[in-house]
């Protein structure tokens, strides 16, 4: 496998306000754009790819300029359904929310959304296809997407989704030797 770079999009207002945000097509916040402007990645790739969401498109342009790229919606974040763009504080007394976060919240499906397991299946299918191409690739995606890929590739590390999730504008370089963290510094 040639190197595949997995980079999380920059911060949005939803990130800054701790809102569930997956399927909402939000732009980067002013602070998110400013932070990405300070990042530097010296990467040459045969292929650039995003999830097609506005925040991933903006991140790609800010980090790599106006490069030709493709989109694949299978790399979109989990759909939080009725909980989209709401915070824990707003939802904590909602019985449907409590049912979702209680127990196996990887399998639990939020109303009108998808489970973490459903998202992981679609992401891993797309990632397998990407890896089989054997190209050096930069994928600008979402924290949950990147975490799902990393947890699947490195199960012996026994990290959960939140431990694998990179900071906005950061990510991982994957190769046959394993991985290294990318901070853009």
């Amino acid at each position: 496998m040639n190197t595949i770079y997995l980079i999380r999009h920059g911060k949005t207002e939803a990130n800054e306000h701790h809102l569930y945000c997956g399927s909402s097509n939000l732009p980067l916040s002013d602070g998110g754009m400013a932070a990405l402007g300070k990042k530097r990645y010296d990467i040459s790739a045969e292929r650039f790819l995003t999830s097609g969401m506005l925040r991933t498109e903006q991140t790609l342009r800010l980090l790599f300029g106006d490069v030709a790229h493709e989109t694949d919606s299978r790399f979109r974040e989990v759909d939080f359904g009725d909980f989209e763009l709401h915070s824990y504080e707003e939802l904590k007394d909602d019985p449907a929310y409590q049912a979702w976060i209680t127990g196996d919240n990887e399998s639990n499906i939020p109303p009108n959304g998808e489970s973490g397991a459903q998202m992981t299946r679609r992401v891993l299918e797309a990632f397998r296809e990407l890896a089989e191409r054997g190209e050096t690739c930069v994928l600008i995606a979402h924290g949950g997407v990147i975490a799902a890929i990393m947890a699947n590739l490195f199960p012996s590390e026994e990290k959960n989704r939140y431990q694998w999730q990179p900071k906005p504008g950061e990510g991982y370089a994957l190769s046959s030797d394993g991985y290294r963290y990318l901070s853009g510094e």
Side-chain angles (χ1 to χ4, degrees):
M1 167 170 78
N2 286 339
T3 305
I4 297 177
Y5 299 91
L6 306 174
I7 299 174
R8 183 180 178 190
H9 65 78
K11 277 190 177 182
T12 66
E13 286 190 25
N15 298 130
E16 292 169 354
H17 294 31
H18 307 287
L19 306 178
Y20 289 102
C21 180
S23 62
S24 298
N25 198 17
L26 300 181
L28 298 175
S29 66
D30 290 342
M33 286 191 278
L36 286 177
K38 297 174 186 174
K39 301 249 179 230
R40 297 290 174 256
Y41 289 104
D42 185 21
I43 296 172
S44 11
E46 298 163 287
R47 187 173 188 211
F48 289 86
L49 184 65
T50 74
S51 71
M53 302 291 283
L54 179 58
R55 56 195 180 267
T56 63
E57 293 288 312
Q58 290 176 316
T59 298
L60 177 70
R61 279 194 297 283
L62 286 166
L63 294 178
F64 297 100
D66 193 20
V67 297
H69 70 283
E70 300 168 43
T71 64
D72 188 333
S73 63
R74 294 176 297 171
F75 288 114
R76 289 185 177 195
E77 185 62 275
V78 67
D79 182 347
F80 293 107
D82 293 353
F83 306 139
E84 264 302 299
L85 299 181
H86 293 284
S87 68
Y88 171 81
E89 284 301 314
E90 293 173 310
L91 297 168
K92 68 182 179 185
D93 297 323
D94 180 336
Y97 177 74
Q98 285 301 320
W100 176 60
I101 64 169
T102 303
D104 183 2
N105 69 353
E106 182 67 15
S107 296
N108 291 347
I109 301 172
N112 299 305
E114 70 179 327
S115 71
Q118 290 170 322
M119 182 270 296
T120 297
R121 278 192 297 278
R122 78 171 148 75
V123 166
L124 293 180
E125 176 187 337
F127 183 77
R128 278 193 268 301
E129 291 172 19
L130 181 64
E132 287 171 1
R133 291 179 70 144
E135 298 170 316
T136 298
C137 178
V138 172
L139 170 61
I140 308 293
H142 307 269
V145 167
I146 294 169
I149 293 168
M150 295 301 290
N152 180 264
L153 292 176
F154 304 100
S156 64
E157 294 200 21
E158 298 180 358
K159 292 182 183 179
N160 67 39
R161 181 182 306 264
Y162 303 103
Q163 292 168 312
W164 278 117
Q165 189 166 295
K167 295 177 184 174
E170 299 183 4
Y172 299 95
L174 303 173
S175 68
S176 56
D177 296 333
Y179 72 90
R180 64 184 165 83
Y181 192 80
L182 302 170
S183 64
E185 295 176 6

